[in-house]
Amino acid sequence: MPVRPVPAAVLALIVLGALGVLLPWWRDTAGVAGAAGWLTGAGRITGLLAGYAAPVLLLLMARIPLLEREVGADRLARWHAFGGRWLVGLVTAHVLTIVWGYALTDGRGVVGEGVEIVLHYPDMLKATAGTLLLLGTGAVSARAARRRLSYETWYYAHLATYLAVALAFGHQLSTGADLGDGPGLALWYLLYGGTALLIGWYRLAVPALRDRRHRLRVAEVREEAPGVVSVYLTGERLDELGARAGQFFRLQFQAPGLRWAAHPYSLSAPPHPRFLRFTVKAVGGHSAAVARLRPGTRVRAEGPYGAFTGRLQRKRKVLLLAGGVGITPLRALFETLPGELTLVQRVRRPEDLLFERELAAVAAGRGARVHRLVGSRAQVGDLGEALARLVPDLARHEVYLCGSEAMTAEAVRALRAAGVPRSRIHHESFVF
């Protein structure tokens, strides 16, 4: 399978940008001597890298169509989360080393130097507020804390990141001597200004324009299983959305308690010129409230997003492996992907099986196969052995995988052990 060039090119561009950001420091630093010099130098380097990383991380989540289509929203989210941890570390190191280095230079205590910097250096009060906001966002984004938060709380906390970056920007200009007043400063303005424009366009203007053009509304809410419903949306000129099976939208239902946060929901049927179908499992307050939506409720939709589509397919034999409600994007792909398809559903209870009649009809119509692995891990046994029984030539298949983080990790290990190359395992995470 050919290497997909866009993700690698994006990562290379990010690394090159980081190296370019350090060039002014390298050019203007003739030498470093003494503890104060080393600490101050470390503070300047970490400050430059943190200042560069902040807009880059925002760009990754700016809903830029090329990135969403070629890189994939879940991969962008993983990069964003990984980079966010580095950003918090860089900001922390920047604060500590700069204050310590300046304290040694001025012959003052670290606490006194910190107070002096915050109260008397230009734009430092705003930068301090931005730093505290950023560190707070990092704290609530930690894995242990994230499990205890609702999606809405996490979502609103992340909005503070934009304010944090804006508050810190003035400090970068007024105290960032490495930027100078020539091309480096102009490029810094371009980086931050361009990021603001792209976010404003793709996250605010485009959704608003599409909302006016397509006028999406809830047509029907249909129960599929206990705690699971399918939401049918109708609207105008839906074919112009350009949606593909396997993609998702971020939906804001204009109903009390739902209108202020956009949640990602996958298409659970191939897009149709007259309707879009999304299947939602009640796992939180927002998704549970979706089941109570009334026909006619307006919906604001961002998307379509995601690279989890037929564009990834290179082999004729395809295995679709779904864990629980992860069947939703695979249900749409099962109907549209060409070739010889095998679908395996992994659930704990028979009542968790979704779309049984639909899948049986699609399988019969195209000569595909549907298998079900129902029960606890002790009842089903090793996933790799189960897949080997159901799909004897597993190593010759391309695999589309969607499920919980734990199930996805287990499945990837089993598939790799069975000889499926990593390049032929495509998976989409529920974590955004």
Side-chain angles (χ1 to χ4, degrees):
M1 172 182 173
V3 176
R4 296 179 64 214
V6 175
V10 171
L11 286 177
L13 185 62
I14 291 173
V15 172
L16 288 174
L19 294 175
V21 163
L22 296 180
L23 283 178
W25 174 85
W26 182 268
R27 179 195 61 206
D28 298 336
T29 304
V32 179
W38 283 104
L39 286 168
T40 302
R44 290 167 61 189
I45 291 172
T46 52
L48 285 168
L49 290 176
Y52 168 74
V56 169
L57 292 177
L58 295 181
L59 281 173
L60 292 179
M61 305 305 291
R63 317 289 192 251
I64 299 172
L66 175 63
L67 296 182
E68 295 281 341
R69 183 176 63 250
E70 298 294 339
V71 178
D74 64 329
R75 179 181 286 168
L76 290 171
R78 291 195 297 272
W79 289 358
H80 177 81
F82 177 79
R85 291 190 287 271
W86 274 95
L87 176 59
V88 170
L90 287 168
V91 169
T92 303
H94 170 65
V95 172
L96 295 177
T97 52
I98 279 290
V99 173
W100 193 1
Y102 281 15
L104 290 177
T105 300
D106 297 338
R108 185 185 287 130
V110 172
V111 174
E113 187 66 36
V115 172
E116 173 70 19
I117 290 174
V118 171
L119 295 182
H120 297 102
Y121 279 49
D123 296 305
M124 277 307 305
L125 283 173
K126 290 189 295 182
T128 301
T131 298
L132 293 175
L133 280 174
L134 181 66
L135 295 179
T137 302
V140 301
S141 299
R143 188 178 295 269
R146 176 70 182 91
R147 293 195 184 104
R148 293 175 172 83
L149 295 176
S150 67
Y151 179 90
E152 290 80 11
T153 302
W154 174 85
Y155 178 85
Y156 293 133
H158 260 63
L159 292 180
T161 305
Y162 296 96
L163 179 58
V165 173
L167 288 171
F169 183 63
H171 143 70
Q172 295 166 15
L173 300 179
S174 57
T175 62
D178 291 306
L179 297 178
D181 56 3
L185 184 60
L187 289 173
W188 205 256
Y189 270 111
L190 179 62
L191 174 62
Y192 275 80
T195 298
L197 288 174
L198 288 171
I199 290 173
W201 177 250
Y202 287 116
R203 297 206 62 169
L204 298 176
V206 169
L209 292 171
R210 286 184 173 177
D211 182 43
R212 293 185 59 185
R213 181 167 182 79
H214 299 293
R215 301 183 183 278
L216 290 174
R217 297 181 183 277
V218 174
E220 180 185 0
V221 178
R222 182 182 303 173
E223 185 178 24
E224 300 285 358
V228 181
V229 297
S230 284
V231 180
Y232 290 80
L233 304 184
T234 58
E236 302 174 8
R237 297 181 284 270
L238 299 186
D239 54 321
E240 295 179 10
L241 286 169
R244 299 169 64 97
Q247 291 188 306
F248 70 94
F249 287 75
R250 288 182 171 86
L251 303 180
Q252 285 180 288
F253 298 101
Q254 303 303 295
L258 300 179
R259 68 177 75 247
W260 299 114
H263 284 240
Y265 294 117
S266 295
L267 290 164
S268 61
H272 191 278
R274 293 194 299 275
F275 70 88
L276 301 173
R277 187 181 78 175
F278 302 88
T279 300
V280 181
K281 181 177 181 179
V283 293
H286 186 282
S287 51
V290 169
R292 301 189 292 272
L293 287 171
R294 296 182 177 181
T297 301
R298 292 185 57 203
V299 184
R300 189 175 187 184
E302 297 179 36
Y305 298 130
F308 195 64
T309 68
R311 298 179 70 248
L312 299 174
Q313 184 181 356
R314 295 295 183 273
K315 295 291 183 180
R316 179 167 178 77
K317 291 188 175 183
V318 178
L319 168 64
L320 305 176
L321 178 55
V325 77
I327 186 63
T328 49
L330 300 183
R331 159 64 187 89
L333 289 169
F334 190 54
E335 187 173 339
T336 56
L337 288 180
E340 302 174 23
L341 268 62
T342 301
L343 173 66
V344 176
Q345 282 183 278
R346 174 71 178 95
V347 296
R348 287 189 170 273
R349 305 172 302 171
E351 55 265 35
D352 294 329
L353 290 168
L354 298 175
F355 311 127
E356 288 190 85
R357 292 183 180 178
E358 292 183 26
L359 294 172
V362 172
R366 60 178 304 170
R369 295 178 295 172
V370 177
H371 300 290
R372 299 173 179 85
L373 295 173
V374 182
S376 66
R377 180 172 296 184
Q379 292 171 316
V380 172
D382 180 77
L383 180 60
E385 294 177 1
L387 290 176
R389 290 194 305 269
L390 298 174
V391 191
D393 56 346
L394 182 57
R396 298 174 58 191
H397 281 66
E398 190 131 26
V399 182
Y400 285 76
L401 166 64
C402 188
S404 66
E405 285 188 279
M407 182 268 182
T408 298
E410 180 187 9
V412 170
R413 287 194 297 269
L415 293 166
R416 295 289 291 120
V420 181
R422 189 175 297 276
S423 62
R424 283 200 261 120
I425 303 174
H426 314 298
H427 57 89
E428 185 167 70
S429 169
F430 289 161
V431 181
F432 292 92

